[in-house]
């Protein structure tokens, strides 16, 4: 087929126009694309800020899994634990002038005492500077609840498992198996009579049990005291304050409660999901920093490490599906933590395994 | 030759157009400018349909970034093939190869048209999108191989062989890197 030069031009021009219309339609589709959690998951990059976005934002930080200070991964490529990462991010967010509020998403059965206390301190530090709201996932128990109690507000799903205010020491006695049945004898040389306390080769003495109970009780009182301080800090009504202290103390026996019951007791402030927590935080931050339109405060996944894609705004959405949280929570991880930290007080909800 | 005629020829009769560029007395700088424009436009277009982009936020910047990245990748690809050709003593001008490889990406301008079917005709629409995209990719690959053929005056067998070189080199590269990391792990463990 012989096409003249002018016809060639016309056909090429028609192709260009056709493709251009398709591009315009594609842009329209992109602009009106309804995305689940689009509002919540909107991530604002540095470049997004340069190109018309606002500098003020809300930081989204997650605390998933067992709370420990251990590094994760192999010795060659190790990563700090989720708890230590969250702690670091909380301190950064507290100082960051662009962050007007923090949304901390917790899905944790608790963990070690010291790290939980450090997280509590980190949340308290943020609270002094800007509003912080905790959104509970499937589980925020023991050390997970302890951390949450330092926040301004706690939002939980009706089915969230929370509470478990209590301390546990896990120990194994293998004397019956190893010594009595297999004849394995343990030789212990110690500097003091309590140096081998909770040794697996002998049962604890009454004095030792008494000492351990003292540790448990002291740790428990630290836990309960911190929770009561956190949950009554903003209550000005003395009667209401006394009532809440009474309610929380009454259930502070290690029991786990549902989110709906936790609301009645005063362990949480509101029932709802991530979206509700975000709206609450927007309102609190807008009020605190005199921002006219709370909606302009976008939620951003908070990171400290430089990421080229984030910098360039290529990863424009973050995944905030609450269902995905549970994947982070491995019952085996809880069991292993319990074994790994045996003989040491834990703020851990062990019953999930 | 004007841009619209070139455009038509690339899409309808690429052999003729590629032959003209490789041996004909044409203003190479003007064609190179056209080629650059094609690469920039096509690279930028890809952003709108990227799975990583779900909103119009910062879109202008993303398009600009993609265009620049595409430009760099185009130059890098030409450099790799021209170097390989030079090593094996093949004659062919890098400028010609640059122009022809730019022409090779032109079929991607139909991607926006194909993507219009996404989600509007159910499974049928998605099938159109999948096969349409694959068709564009295949069209573009064929044009790239033609660029090799006309730049270096290769036979079909040699073109196919040249097309497999990057894949084979990737395997060798992975093998070298594996050896490097293996020794690194040995060092740290």
């Amino acid at each position: 087929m012989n096409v003249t030069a002018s016809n060639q031009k016309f056909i090429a021009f028609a192709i260009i126009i056709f493709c251009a219309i398709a591009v315009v339609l594609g842009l329209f589709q992109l602009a009106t694309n309804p995305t689940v959690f689009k509002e919540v998951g909107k991530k604002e990059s540095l470049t997004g800020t340069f190109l018309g976005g606002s500098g003020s934002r809300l930081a989204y930080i997650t605390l998933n899994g067992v709370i420990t200070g251990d590094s994760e991964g192999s010795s060659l490529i190790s990563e700090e634990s989720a708890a230590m990462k969250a702690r670091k991010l909380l301190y950064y967010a507290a100082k960051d002038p662009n962050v007007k509020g923090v949304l901390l998403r917790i899905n944790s059965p608790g963990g070690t005492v010291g790290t939980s206390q450090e997280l509590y301190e980190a949340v308290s530090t943020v609270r002094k500077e800007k509003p912080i709201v905790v959104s509970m996932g499937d589980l925020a128990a023991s050390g997970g609840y302890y951390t949450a109690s330092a926040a301004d507000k706690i939002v939980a799903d009706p089915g969230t498992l929370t509470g478990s205010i209590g301390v546990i020491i896990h120990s194994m006695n293998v004397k019956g198996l190893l010594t009595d049945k297999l004849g394995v004898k343990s030789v212990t040389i110690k500097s003091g009579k309590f140096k081998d306390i909770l040794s697996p080769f002998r049962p604890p003495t009454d004095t030792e049990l008494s000492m351990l109970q003292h540790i448990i009780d002291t740790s428990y009182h630290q836990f309960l005291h911190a929770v009561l301080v956190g949950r009554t800090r903003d209550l000005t009504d003395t009667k209401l304050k006394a009532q809440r202290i009474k309610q929380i103390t009454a259930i502070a026996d290690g029991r786990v409660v549902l989110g709906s019951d936790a609301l009645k007791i005063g362990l949480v402030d509101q029932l709802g999901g991530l979206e509700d927590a975000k709206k609450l935080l927007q309102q609190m931050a807008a009020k605190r920093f005199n921002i006219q339109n709370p909606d302009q405060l976008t939620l951003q996944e908070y990171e400290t490490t430089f990421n080229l894609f984030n910098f360039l705004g290529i990863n424009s959405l973050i995944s905030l599906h609450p269902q995905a949280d549970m994947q982070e929570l491995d019952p085996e991880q809880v069991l292993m933590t319990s074994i790994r930290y045996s003989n040491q007080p834990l703020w851990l909800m062990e019953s999930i395994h | 030759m004007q841009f619209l005629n070139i455009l038509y020829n690339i899409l309808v009769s690429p052999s003729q157009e590629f032959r003209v560029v490789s041996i004909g007395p044409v203003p190479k700088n003007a064609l190179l400018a056209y080629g650059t424009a094609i690469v920039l436009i096509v690279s930028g277009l890809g952003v709108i349909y990227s799975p990583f982009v779900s909103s119009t936020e910062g879109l202008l910047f993303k398009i600009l970034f993609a265009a620049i990245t595409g430009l760099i990748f185009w130059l890098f690809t030409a450099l790799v093939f021209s170097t390989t050709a030079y090593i094996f003593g093949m004659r062919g001008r890098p400028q010609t190869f640059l122009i022809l490889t730019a022409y090779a990406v032109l079929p991607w301008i139909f991607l926006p048209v194909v993507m219009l079917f996404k989600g509007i005709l159910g499974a049928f629409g998605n099938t159109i999108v999948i096969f349409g995209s694959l068709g564009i990719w295949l069209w573009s690959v064929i044009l790239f191989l033609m660029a090799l053929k006309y730049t270096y005056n290769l036979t079909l067998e040699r073109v196919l062989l040249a097309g497999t070189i990057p894949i084979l080199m990737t395997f060798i590269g992975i093998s070298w890197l594996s050896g490097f990391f293996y020794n690194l792990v040995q060092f740290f463990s």
Side-chain angles (χ1 to χ4, degrees), chain A residues 18-189:
Chain A
F18 186 54
C19 292
I21 292 169
V23 171
V24 173
L25 289 172
L27 282 169
F28 179 74
Q29 198 178 19
L30 189 66
T32 56
N33 182 27
T35 311
V36 181
F37 288 110
K38 188 174 180 181
E39 280 297 307
V40 184
K42 202 172 184 181
K43 181 194 265 186
E44 200 172 301
S45 66
L46 189 57
T47 47
T49 307
F50 289 152
L51 296 175
S54 160
S56 300
R57 65 199 70 172
L58 305 173
Y60 177 77
I61 299 171
T62 54
L63 173 61
N64 286 324
V66 178
I67 296 169
T68 69
D70 290 349
S71 299
E72 292 166 359
S74 66
S75 57
L76 185 63
I77 307 164
S78 63
E79 202 181 337
E80 62 188 339
S81 69
M84 295 314 281
K85 191 179 172 189
R87 175 187 165 277
K88 186 171 75 179
L89 291 173
L90 285 165
Y91 279 115
Y92 278 128
K95 286 181 197 164
D96 190 339
N98 286 324
V99 174
K100 302 298 179 196
V102 175
L103 177 55
L104 178 63
R105 175 76 171 179
I106 298 180
N107 192 49
S108 170
T112 56
V113 175
T115 309
S116 299
Q117 287 178 328
E118 287 194 18
L119 279 167
Y120 183 94
E121 284 305 311
V123 173
S124 300
T125 304
V126 174
R127 188 171 168 167
K128 284 175 200 160
E129 305 292 329
K130 52 201 70 171
I132 176 165
V133 172
V134 163
S135 165
M136 291 180 167
D138 300 295
L139 181 67
S142 204
Y145 180 75
Y146 179 86
T147 305
S149 66
D152 285 299
K153 297 284 176 194
I154 302 174
V155 179
D157 288 307
T160 296
L161 289 177
T162 187
S164 188
I165 298 169
V167 192
I168 188 168
I169 289 186
H170 183 83
S171 179
M172 279 191 288
N173 193 318
V174 294
K175 184 178 173 288
L177 175 69
L178 290 181
T179 308
D180 300 346
K181 288 194 176 175
L182 300 176
V184 178
K185 286 181 183 173
S186 161
V187 178
T188 307
I189 300 154

Side-chain angles (χ1 to χ4, degrees), chain B residues 164-185:
Chain B
T164 56
I165 283 176
I167 300 163
L168 299 173
M169 290 301 280
T170 305
F171 285 120
I172 294 168
I174 290 170
S175 165
W176 284 351
L177 277 175
S178 304
F180 172 73
F181 282 112
Y182 176 78
N183 282 300
L184 205 66
V185 170

